[in-house]
């Protein structure tokens, strides 16, 4: 593709052929990339131009979609005990 630095990809749309930072929710650890990689479900990346990968959602949060820039917090009366969760929060037991 090109000699774009890690965290960037070659933007060939509009014939610009220039290096562009990966958008939030994506990353690229290698140089010379044609596209960025999506964060997996259960992860996020909130910094454009990331080369270091994605971050697991913290406990109390989840993310079911890929390529996201944030995780979703549990609603009142719910919890998520695991980091990197790609499933919704769990209802708190009664009492």
């Amino acid at each position: 593709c090109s000699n774009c630095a890690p965290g960037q990809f070659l933007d060939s749309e509009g014939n610009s052929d220039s290096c562009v930072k990966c958008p939030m929710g994506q990353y690229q650890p290698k140089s010379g990339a044609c596209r960025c990689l999506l964060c997996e479900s259960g992860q996020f990346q909130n910094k454009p131009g990331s080369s270091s990968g994605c971050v697991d959602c913290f406990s109390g949060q989840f993310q079911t979609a890929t390529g996201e820039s944030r995780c979703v917090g549990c609603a009142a009366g719910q919890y998520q005990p695991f980091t990197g969760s790609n499933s919704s929060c769990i209802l708190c037991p009664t009492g």
Side-chain angles (χ1 to χ4, degrees):
C1 271
S2 176
N3 287 329
C4 294
Q8 299 180 349
F9 69 102
L10 180 65
D11 183 14
S12 58
E13 288 187 29
N15 297 324
S16 66
D17 289 332
S18 59
C19 295
V20 177
K21 288 183 179 181
C22 293
M24 292 189 295
Q26 300 181 26
Y27 70 103
Q28 181 49 258
K30 299 179 181 177
S31 59
C34 294
R35 64 182 176 87
C36 296
L37 306 171
L38 294 174
C39 292
E40 295 181 15
S41 58
Q43 298 181 329
F44 73 100
Q45 180 50 261
N46 61 2
K47 296 177 184 168
S50 175
S51 61
S52 61
C54 300
V55 179
D56 284 344
C57 294
F58 305 111
S59 59
Q61 300 178 333
F62 70 99
Q63 182 50 261
T64 58
T66 60
E68 294 297 319
S69 61
R70 66 181 185 87
C71 295
V72 179
C74 294
Q78 299 181 351
Y79 71 103
Q80 179 49 260
F82 305 109
T83 60
S85 177
N86 62 359
S87 60
S88 337
C89 298
I90 303 163
L91 287 173
C92 293
T94 307

